[in-house]
Amino acid sequence: MLLDALRPTATGLDQLPAWFLRLAAPVIYQPLTRLFNLSISTGTVPRQWKQAIIRPVPKTPAPTKHADFRPISVNPVLTRLMERTVVNRFLYPAFLDPPTTLSFQDQFGFRPTGSTTAALVYTLHTITSLLNTNPFVTVIALDFSKAFDTVRHSSLLHKLAQLDIPGNVYNWLLDFLLGHFHCTEYNGRSLHSGKSLPVLYRAPPSVRLCTSSRQLTYTQSLLAIYCPSMPTTHTLLFQPVTPTPEQ
């Protein structure tokens, strides 16, 4: 089912393209299913699935400096399939009934039912409601630069441990966060002489797991709403929509 639904996407260091996995699905689905189940049950992630390619993508038509590029990290297609499975089967259900120590009520980014549109509607409703009983409302918007590049794995794991997930899944997430390596590639040429460098701080780059795990630790943008009658400042957490190449 997962292989049949694969769409065209970037190929990782394992050189297994999505079209090949989709074409070979009738032959390889059984060993892949066994591999996925074994990975989750033992809480281990194959080393090859932790190696990524970072490709600088220009943010401007004529880039002249490093800041004009956006680093896009590409994991193997099988890694992304495995992440999607873990997120949909274990993390998203746990987010629906979080413990009292974790609250996602005011967070709209990186949630299965959240969106930038929902954040805007909620913000507009909150402000207009407050203006009915207050002379003014103050809105402060903040944007954190490089927020996802400094995710502390210890903080992330501490919060993941509070979710209602099986122990082997937590061990899988722990193993997934450790031992990641990357190499930078530009114009088809490796910038590290073919060697992979360790990833020490940031959350792993593949889309599915990052979008879920990040919601437990950081968000890129914060909106604070204040008015005279409010005892505390009301905050909303969300992730702005920025176009990125298909991964």
Side-chain angles (χ1 to χ4, degrees):
M1 187 69 168
L2 290 175
L3 295 175
D4 291 337
L6 274 177
R7 295 180 296 177
T9 183
T11 303
L13 281 173
D14 61 358
Q15 297 301 312
L16 289 176
W19 67 264
F20 173 80
L21 294 173
R22 186 171 59 250
L23 186 65
V27 179
I28 65 176
Y29 81 93
Q30 286 186 334
L32 277 181
T33 300
R34 174 172 171 77
L35 180 61
F36 280 18
N37 289 335
L38 188 63
S39 176
I40 293 179
S41 63
T42 60
T44 57
V45 181
R47 178 180 174 84
Q48 294 87 342
W49 289 3
K50 300 180 183 182
Q51 297 178 339
I53 306 174
I54 294 181
R55 296 192 177 108
V57 176
K59 294 189 291 185
T60 61
T64 59
K65 55 184 182 297
H66 292 164
D68 294 335
F69 291 88
R70 176 183 291 108
I72 302 299
S73 185
V74 182
N75 273 354
V77 177
L78 290 178
T79 307
R80 284 169 265 167
L81 281 177
M82 187 65 191
E83 291 172 330
R84 188 177 301 129
T85 300
V86 171
V87 168
N88 291 337
R89 184 171 299 180
F90 300 106
L91 291 186
Y92 277 173
F95 292 155
L96 296 177
D97 187 23
T100 56
T101 54
L102 294 176
S103 176
F104 306 135
Q105 180 179 359
D106 296 329
Q107 182 159 333
F108 295 88
F110 304 120
R111 295 183 62 183
T113 57
S115 67
T116 305
T117 302
L120 291 174
V121 171
Y122 183 77
T123 302
L124 181 62
H125 172 73
T126 301
I127 293 174
T128 52
S129 298
L130 291 173
L131 285 174
N132 290 329
T133 55
N134 293 273
F136 67 89
V137 174
T138 302
V139 178
I140 302 175
L142 301 176
D143 184 75
F144 299 97
S145 178
K146 304 294 183 182
F148 303 145
D149 295 336
T150 56
V151 173
R152 291 190 302 271
H153 290 173
S154 58
S155 299
L156 177 58
L157 290 169
H158 174 71
K159 294 185 179 182
L160 284 171
Q162 301 176 53
L163 294 177
D164 184 20
I165 57 177
N168 60 300
V169 175
Y170 176 83
N171 291 335
W172 190 93
L173 294 169
L174 172 62
D175 191 61
F176 181 86
L177 289 171
L178 302 176
H180 265 267
F181 290 83
H182 77 273
C183 65
T184 302
E185 185 180 278
Y186 185 65
N187 286 338
R189 183 171 63 91
S190 175
L191 303 184
H192 302 305
S193 302
K195 298 180 180 179
S196 297
L197 302 179
V199 179
L200 300 177
Y201 294 103
R202 73 173 305 202
S206 288
V207 177
R208 278 291 177 169
L209 185 57
C210 274
T211 53
S212 299
S213 60
R214 281 172 182 164
Q215 92 175 50
L216 296 170
T217 307
Y218 294 102
T219 189
Q220 184 170 337
S221 298
L222 180 146
L223 191 68
I225 302 176
Y226 168 81
C227 70
S229 65
M230 293 177 65
T232 59
T233 302
H234 192 74
T235 58
L236 292 83
L237 308 177
F238 64 97
Q239 163 65 15
V241 175
T242 55
T244 57
E246 178 70 22
Q247 295 189 11

